[in-house]
Amino acid sequence: MIRASFFFSNMAAGALQLAVALLSLFSAVLSFPLGPETKHTTTCGYESCHATKPNMLNVHLVPHTHDDVGWLKTVDQYFYGDRNDIQHAGVQYILDSVVDQLLKNPDRRFIYVETAFFYRWWKRQSSSAQQTVKQLVNEGRLEFVNGGWCMSDEATTHYSAVIDQMTIGLRFLNETFGACGRPRVAWHIDPFGHAREHASMFAQMGYDGFFFGRLDYQDRMHRMVQKEQELLWRASDSLTPPTADLFTGILPNGYNPPEGFCWDQSCDDPPIRDDPDLEDYNVDDVVMRFLTIANSQATVYKTNHIIMTMGSDFQYENANLWYKNLDKLIHYVNAQQANGSKVNVLYSTPSCYLQELHRANLTWALKTDDFFPYADSAHDFWTGYFTSRPALKRYERISNSNLQTCNQLEVLGGPASRQGPFGEGESQTMKKAMAVAQHHDAVSGTEKQHVANDYARRLANGWQRCQVLVSNSLAALSGSSAKRIYCDNLNISVCPLTESSKKFSVSVYNPLARPVTRPVRLPVNGTAYAVSDANGKAVDCQVSTREVRRNRGFAVNELVFQVQAPPLGYSTYSVSLRQAGPRPASAQPGAPTVIQNKFLRVTFDPDTGLLSSLSNLETKQSIKLTQNFYWYNASDGNNLESNQPSGAYIFRPNSSTPFVISRTAKTETIQVQFPHMVQEVRQWFAPWVSQVVRLHGDSRALELEWTVGPLPIDDGLGKEVITRLDTSIKTSEIFYTDSNGREVLQRKKDFRPTWNLMQSEPIAGNYYPINSRAFIKDDVDQLTVVTDRSQGGGSIHNGSLEIMLHRRLLYDDVRGVAEPLNETSNIFPEGLVVRGRLLLSLDPPSVAADAHRPLAQEVVMQPLLTFTNGDLSPNTRLEFSGLQAALPPAVHLLTLTQWDKDSVLLRLEHQFQSWESKVNSQPVTVNLQKLFSTLDVLGMSELNLSANQWKDEMMRFKEKPLLKTFQDPSTWEVTLRPMEIRTFLLRVSLR
Ligand SMILES: *[C@@H]1O[C@H](CO)[C@@H](O)[C@H](O)[C@H]1NC(C)=O
Ligand SMILES: *[C@@H]1O[C@H](CO)[C@@H](O)[C@H](O)[C@H]1NC(C)=O
Ligand SMILES: [Zn+2]
């Protein structure tokens, strides 16, 4: 999204006069000569860079286009140039036009970034056009930068989905162009703040450097003064440097051209009028303005190389306009060298610019925190999108879990899993839908409503196709071809099968590499059921009257039982209706004073019905804990300090004190037969806010299932709903959040680690992205909250942690989306209702990670339930595990996916930081040959994190492509150190 900002418009009067004098000598040039076609070279990458001049200021002009993979239009509308009434943008024409223009002058350069678009274009090209493009790539004239399927959002994406989307983009580039298609530079020019974990991932993907455009305006000013717009980002506190070190450069002007130098068809800047016989000859003026800007820009960077991004959103649709003027600019500016000018302009790319910075052999400031939150002005904190579109954020997270299950089952089920109407393509649709959803206007929630609907529809289509694969695979593994039924609406207690069937089976597939135990809740209409596990053993189950869930579904009761599922495997439970049994547990008015299981005790305030304390019975620790719901009144922009309203991007409450929704909760308690299974307290705060507090029998976490919406707006006020946990934990303005679901960062109120913050928004300026967890702690107690999606949150008061759950706003926040964030749909015409869970655990700080790491992974990779109606055939295999044994607790199986016919991609991850746990922050060794129960591992080779380069070829400045063969390694043991992810290509055969 375009946001103009101008940093280099101050002209030095002396330089101006000198430039005028020099230029008047030069105004007699008659025609503009183009260089002749030079000989064809086959160098790409760093070797194909244009020469620079060591004693001059070298200005690297980088022609580029920023193509959002969906924002105001859908990804396909952008590709085709459809719906130009919404925004004039057509990526297919951009690529057509740029290729034509590159062919006209071999000096010209272009970078392309978003593989989702390039792939769409490439597959419609003739083979001769493809040949031509390959030639351009081989000569470094067209260079891929970043190269993921999209340019991911950094605040709200989970690392697992980011790695996947990078992998499919980079794989396409490698397979299409080989080594010359491998991007050397990560390029996140638009995301609204930058996560440390993204930098860590980019380093491990083999990028040599990273450039971005947006950072806090105060941070930018400090860095300009101190010449620290180039830095070394040490992006992990656990990985040994330089594994997660990444050179990072901040672009001078967002990603726009300098003021006055935009020559796209969408711009109004004057073209270079260089025929002195015609009117309005302006070469002197253009050259002078350019020299002034270049010299000014050079004062805030360290070397004699500077970059100018010559392009912007969806530019270059008519690339001739840009290139014709850039050719002239380079010619006329460099011609001044004959008159003593010390400025040298050249066509360049981010990697060529990076190479020069690298050659300068300087030292750079070290950065170990991140670039959140992002503010572009005193009252404009981009912290609203951490929560915007909470339903889409959750759907994206569930979709990731489903995709991982789909990928694993494709491997475990073998070729039989791929037999279906879509051939080999069953998991591809879902992979691409998930990749598109990582875009910085997708899961971020900053797109128009129709585009949000498009992302969700793509995910739903992808899941439909994956279901075919999952069914095939489970049929192959279980030996039963009974029809598999999926209940995708269990979150709103809707499942037609369980509501009507007298006998059915449920298979629980667990995508984690260790066994999980969890409750299953099914909507039913019977009052008594018998449940048996895979060994035929009876399982305790409980029927209770269903919580009133508005008008969705027809079930009156809910059946609950515990299931256990083996690592990377399933277990099947059968459920049958009984004629007689105990009456369903019903709700009794009022809250109990206490509920407890063997690990936790939870108390409620008898007067208010709110939570009042939480105790860990094993460690004998106890805290006061009050939880309630509040809403911030969204600023409408009518404000003395600033006219910035709250919107899809920006969070701007018009008061720092939120309104309490209700001081007391109306409560009900479910009187259960089996308190060791689950205890449940239901709370109502308003017709639009309710919560179920659940304590499961063998859980160390308290579940808070919140339901919020439709947010009332008939009072004309936009609302941003939070829940706040106020505790007796003694914090001093510090809390912790995770970065993209991985490493944890410390956050301090009104403080930034690398500059003196002038705080101007006491709430919004203290909000941070919470991807999967946040915590507060003192020396004794740590309260961790695991979330089920990305949300924004902060610790505004000591001992307190607040999380924003839902927002409904009446004004656009003027960052381009041009719609208020006011979500409604056909089935929710009065406004979206959103439901989610927070999982709370209380532990001593020294062991808290041992609890929250696995808990968070369980939420991210949740079991998948599939159903079959009636009796299963007697020789059905009711239980299966794809692993020989569970992996050690420190190891997470991040990826298992079919790569090609005979090989699979495996990622194993050490999921603890080096300082986090006495027990788990130790290196662990895994034997790859003894991993799988049904696959023989015949060969292995290690890759970089994004699987587009062999590990032993990483970080080579000059590289020669080397064909790899699978080797039988001398040892199959691989060791993982804290926070390490190792990526392997395994050649396998089904046993
Ligand atoms: C880089 O700088 C260091 C001193 O900081 C020097 O020792 C080294 O020789 C330089 N390397 C090159 C290639 O110039
Ligand atoms: C890159 O693609 C080439 C084919 O273009 C293939 O031979 C090679 O194995 C790929 N490299 C990796 C790391 O997958
Ligand atoms: Zn963008």
Side-chain angles (χ1 to χ4, degrees):
M1 158 217 355
I2 191 162
R3 284 272 301 164
S5 48
F6 308 110
F7 294 99
F8 304 104
S9 49
N10 298 338
M11 291 190 180
L16 185 105
Q17 277 159 14
L18 178 66
V20 171
L22 290 173
L23 284 163
S24 50
L25 292 172
F26 185 63
S27 52
V29 172
L30 289 177
S31 66
F32 174 65
L34 269 181
E37 270 285 316
T38 51
K39 67 178 168 56
H40 278 238
T41 52
T42 46
T43 52
C44 60
Y46 296 114
E47 286 170 42
S48 62
C49 298
H50 289 310
T52 58
K53 300 199 169 167
N55 302 318
M56 293 197 180
L57 173 63
N58 293 280
V59 184
H60 295 249
L61 301 182
V62 175
H64 81 105
T65 179
H66 177 67
D67 298 346
D68 288 308
V69 180
W71 178 39
L72 308 183
K73 310 203 285 191
T74 68
V75 52
D76 287 343
Q77 289 167 350
Y78 274 131
F79 175 68
Y80 282 118
D82 195 6
R83 294 302 310 272
N84 275 352
D85 56 320
I86 299 176
Q87 178 188 12
H88 188 104
V91 176
Q92 57 167 341
Y93 307 129
I94 294 173
L95 288 164
D96 290 342
S97 182
V98 162
V99 167
D100 282 351
Q101 290 300 317
L102 288 176
L103 293 170
K104 291 204 165 139
N105 175 357
D107 289 343
R108 292 175 178 176
R109 294 288 181 271
F110 196 73
I111 56 168
Y112 203 73
V113 177
E114 296 86 6
T115 304
F117 285 127
F118 189 83
Y119 163 83
R120 282 168 165 73
W121 181 79
W122 177 259
K123 64 178 185 176
R124 311 297 296 176
Q125 302 304 303
S126 69
S127 64
S128 74
Q130 291 183 344
Q131 247 357 85
T132 305
V133 173
K134 277 187 185 162
Q135 185 68 24
L136 290 174
V137 172
N138 288 339
E139 294 171 8
R141 293 154 70 180
L142 174 62
E143 179 178 303
F144 294 101
V145 170
N146 215 60
W149 205 246
C150 70
M151 183 186 293
S152 54
D153 178 55
E154 298 194 42
T156 66
T157 48
H158 191 262
Y159 70 97
S160 131
V162 174
I163 293 171
D164 283 355
Q165 78 90 4
M166 292 304 295
T167 301
I168 69 166
L170 294 171
R171 181 177 186 182
F172 170 80
L173 294 179
N174 179 53
E175 288 182 347
T176 311
F177 299 104
C180 286
R182 184 169 70 81
R184 311 305 171 89
V185 164
W187 182 256
H188 268 211
I189 56 181
D190 198 21
F192 329 127
H194 302 280
R196 195 176 79 175
E197 198 56 41
H198 260 72
S200 173
M201 291 187 278
F202 288 146
Q204 295 172 70
M205 289 172 182
Y207 290 101
D208 291 326
F210 178 36
F211 292 96
F212 65 69
R214 294 179 188 275
L215 76 165
D216 183 281
Y217 71 107
Q218 293 180 32
D219 194 4
R220 157 96 69 181
M221 288 314 296
H222 284 91
R223 289 182 181 279
M224 284 172 67
V225 171
Q226 289 159 5
K227 293 200 186 185
E228 288 187 353
Q229 294 195 84
E230 291 130 340
L231 53 107
L232 185 69
W233 202 345
R234 181 148 293 164
S236 168
D237 60 25
S238 297
L239 296 167
T240 318
T243 308
D245 287 359
L246 190 64
F247 173 88
T248 302
I250 296 163
L251 297 169
N253 199 19
Y255 52 87
N256 301 307
E259 192 182 2
F261 292 85
C262 184
W263 287 308
D264 192 66
Q265 65 180 16
S266 65
C267 297
D268 302 323
D269 291 340
I272 299 182
R273 301 180 298 251
D274 56 344
D275 185 343
D277 295 341
L278 300 183
E279 287 182 24
D280 305 325
Y281 178 85
N282 69 349
V283 170
D284 299 3
D285 172 64
V286 169
V287 171
M288 180 202 68
R289 283 190 290 115
F290 186 82
L291 291 174
T292 307
I293 288 173
N295 284 317
S296 167
Q297 186 176 327
T299 62
V300 292
Y301 287 92
K302 270 190 168 172
T303 74
N304 63 328
H305 292 269
I306 59 172
I307 185 172
M308 291 185 183
T309 43
M310 304 311 271
S312 194
D313 291 11
F314 297 97
Q315 293 197 355
Y316 287 78
E317 189 175 311
N318 185 355
N320 179 45
L321 276 66
W322 258 117
Y323 281 115
K324 190 169 207 165
N325 285 286
L326 287 174
D327 284 349
K328 291 180 185 180
L329 181 74
I330 292 169
H331 175 80
Y332 290 120
V333 171
N334 288 349
Q336 286 304 304
Q337 291 168 11
N339 301 322
S341 164
K342 290 282 187 205
V343 173
N344 183 49
V345 198
L346 58 146
Y347 276 118
S348 189
T349 66
S351 60
C352 291
Y353 171 58
L354 178 71
Q355 173 170 245
E356 299 292 352
L357 298 179
H358 179 75
R359 282 180 179 156
N361 193 25
L362 300 177
T363 56
W364 313 105
L366 192 69
K367 163 104 175 160
T368 56
D369 63 316
D370 67 358
F371 290 94
F372 285 119
Y374 164 57
D376 53 2
S377 177
H379 301 286
D380 309 34
F381 279 86
W382 299 45
T383 52
Y385 79 98
F386 300 162
T387 298
S388 294
R389 301 194 185 280
L392 180 66
K393 281 180 164 69
R394 175 63 185 152
Y395 191 47
E396 183 275 338
R397 194 60 64 86
I398 295 171
S399 298
N400 182 47
S401 177
N402 286 340
L403 174 60
Q404 302 310 323
T405 290
C406 181
N407 287 340
Q408 292 180 4
L409 281 170
E410 182 171 3
V411 171
L412 298 173
S417 58
R418 289 189 287 278
Q419 289 160 3
F422 314 113
E424 303 276 306
E426 265 125 353
S427 56
Q428 288 304 316
T429 311
M430 185 75 171
K431 282 180 176 145
K432 287 180 185 153
M434 270 301 292
V436 161
Q438 305 311 306
H439 167 62
H440 57 269
D441 298 300
V443 63
S444 59
T446 56
E447 64 284 68
K448 282 191 185 286
Q449 185 62 49
H450 81 104
V451 180
N453 297 344
D454 183 66
Y455 290 124
R457 191 186 47 73
R458 282 168 197 275
L459 292 171
N461 281 351
W463 179 227
Q464 284 280 315
R465 292 190 166 201
C466 259
Q467 284 180 358
V468 176
L469 193 155
V470 168
S471 297
N472 287 341
S473 177
L474 290 174
L477 294 172
S478 68
S480 158
S481 55
K483 182 177 160 47
R484 300 263 162 190
I485 292 159
Y486 296 78
C487 286
D488 292 328
N489 294 326
L490 280 177
N491 62 330
I492 53 167
S493 300
V494 172
C495 175
L497 173 75
T498 61
E499 286 165 35
S500 59
S501 173
K502 293 192 170 65
K503 182 151 196 158
F504 61 90
S505 300
V506 49
S507 286
V508 185
Y509 180 81
N510 166 27
L512 292 171
R514 57 191 169 76
V516 295
T517 301
R518 63 170 267 155
V520 161
R521 326 179 68 84
L522 303 174
V524 292
N525 283 310
T527 54
Y529 288 84
V531 178
S532 58
D533 68 12
N535 302 315
K537 212 170 127 253
V539 172
D540 285 346
C541 65
Q542 179 173 300
V543 178
S544 39
T545 54
R546 197 167 69 96
E547 184 210 347
V548 181
R549 305 217 157 184
R550 298 171 63 81
N551 49 356
R552 318 268 168 237
F554 301 100
V556 293
N557 292 328
E558 192 166 53
L559 170 68
V560 187
F561 54 95
Q562 289 283 5
V563 296
Q564 265 194 325
L568 249 60
Y570 66 81
S571 197
T572 306
Y573 290 76
S574 61
V575 179
S576 43
L577 183 69
R578 278 167 41 192
Q579 289 310 322
R583 278 184 2 153
S586 60
Q588 304 298 314
T593 48
V594 57
I595 55 175
Q596 77 177 62
N597 67 11
K598 32 185 203 261
F599 305 114
L600 291 178
R601 177 195 289 129
V602 183
T603 65
F604 293 82
D605 182 314
D607 297 328
T608 61
L610 304 178
L611 287 176
S612 58
S613 78
L614 180 64
S615 313
N616 182 326
L617 300 173
E618 285 183 308
T619 57
K620 305 204 174 5
Q621 57 191 136
S622 188
I623 57 166
K624 281 192 199 139
L625 169 68
T626 308
Q627 181 229 8
N628 208 339
F629 293 84
Y630 306 80
W631 60 279
Y632 286 107
N633 182 5
S635 177
D636 58 8
N638 285 320
N639 184 287
L640 282 180
E641 286 168 313
S642 141
N643 55 10
Q644 177 62 53
S646 227
Y649 304 87
I650 286 170
F651 171 33
R652 183 159 187 247
N654 81 351
S655 158
S656 297
T657 312
F659 294 100
V660 65
I661 287 167
S662 170
R663 297 204 176 279
T664 59
K666 181 166 106 50
T667 52
E668 271 183 358
T669 305
I670 302 299
Q671 303 288 324
V672 292
Q673 305 105 295
F674 298 116
H676 65 274
M677 272 178 57
V678 63
Q679 296 163 75
E680 193 171 298
V681 176
R682 297 166 183 174
Q683 302 172 312
W684 283 267
F685 300 84
W688 46 282
V689 179
S690 64
Q691 178 171 262
V692 181
V693 179
R694 284 199 192 99
L695 190 56
H696 291 287
D698 44 11
S699 174
R700 290 180 154 82
L702 177 68
E703 177 180 316
L704 304 179
E705 189 190 55
W706 50 270
T707 302
V708 177
L711 304 190
I713 47 170
D714 43 11
D715 53 6
L717 305 176
K719 296 185 180 57
E720 323 214 21
V721 175
I722 61 161
T723 186
R724 200 172 74 205
L725 303 159
D726 293 312
T727 75
S728 55
I729 296 176
K730 293 176 201 60
T731 65
S732 40
E733 315 213 308
I734 285 176
F735 83 118
Y736 300 81
T737 62
D738 65 323
S739 182
N740 297 130
R742 268 198 113 217
E743 293 190 24
V744 164
L745 294 176
Q746 189 188 78
R747 311 298 191 177
K748 189 168 179 350
K749 194 181 169 199
D750 299 331
F751 178 81
R752 307 289 185 261
T754 64
W755 87 91
N756 288 326
L757 173 72
M758 289 195 325
Q759 184 61 280
S760 40
E761 280 287 324
I763 308 297
N766 282 309
Y767 258 56
Y768 288 89
I770 299 171
N771 226 268
S772 67
R773 83 208 71 162
F775 55 81
I776 50 175
K777 65 174 183 179
D778 58 22
D779 292 342
V780 185
D781 299 309
Q782 174 168 331
L783 177 72
T784 310
V785 180
V786 167
T787 66
D788 63 353
R789 76 199 72 192
S790 287
Q791 291 166 322
S795 177
I796 307 296
H797 311 287
N798 283 338
S800 165
L801 179 63
E802 67 182 56
I803 296 178
M804 189 181 288
L805 305 174
H806 195 5
R807 28 196 342 246
R808 188 173 190 191
L809 305 168
L810 304 177
Y811 300 94
D812 175 57
D813 56 0
V814 219
R815 292 302 184 282
V817 73
E819 270 183 12
L821 184 72
N822 180 0
E823 293 179 279
T824 57
S825 75
N826 290 344
I827 56 166
F828 290 109
E830 329 93 272
L832 216 55
V833 181
V834 185
R835 171 170 293 159
R837 292 187 304 152
L838 301 174
L839 300 175
L840 272 51
S841 63
L842 176 67
D843 309 277
S846 62
V847 299
D850 299 330
H852 70 72
R853 289 273 172 201
L855 188 63
Q857 292 294 15
E858 269 181 51
V859 176
V860 170
M861 281 165 81
Q862 59 179 27
L864 173 69
L865 307 184
T866 61
F867 299 85
T868 50
N869 198 12
D871 283 310
L872 281 169
S873 78
N875 39 19
T876 303
R877 187 171 179 188
L878 297 179
E879 196 158 62
F880 166 83
S881 172
L883 296 187
Q884 292 187 25
L887 290 180
V891 182
H892 176 57
L893 191 149
L894 177 62
T895 309
L896 177 63
T897 186
Q898 198 73 32
W899 189 253
D900 50 32
K901 214 166 120 285
D902 302 315
S903 55
V904 300
L905 191 73
L906 171 74
R907 286 194 186 91
L908 294 178
E909 169 186 0
H910 195 302
Q911 59 176 337
F912 285 82
Q913 276 168 269
S914 56
W915 48 267
E916 248 176 2
S917 162
K918 268 208 192 67
V919 197
N920 285 311
S921 294
Q922 303 292 334
V924 211
T925 299
V926 177
N927 186 317
L928 295 186
Q929 222 180 18
K930 296 190 182 140
L931 202 56
F932 299 107
S933 63
T934 57
L935 298 174
D936 284 321
V937 178
L938 309 172
M940 74 179 232
S941 25
E942 189 164 4
L943 295 149
N944 69 358
L945 181 60
S946 46
N948 64 328
Q949 205 182 10
W950 305 106
K951 184 73 180 260
D952 55 10
E953 290 174 7
M954 265 182 87
M955 296 303 181
R956 289 184 185 172
F957 214 61
K958 285 183 188 169
E959 59 147 38
K960 294 185 188 72
L962 215 146
L963 275 183
K964 271 278 152 150
T965 49
F966 286 100
Q967 284 156 7
D968 190 329
S970 50
T971 171
W972 295 94
E973 313 235 296
V974 299
T975 299
L976 297 152
R977 288 168 214 294
M979 276 291 135
E980 200 171 18
I981 302 177
R982 294 184 64 178
T983 306
F984 301 96
L985 198 56
L986 305 182
R987 190 156 56 84
V988 297
S989 73
L990 226 45
R991 275 195 195 139

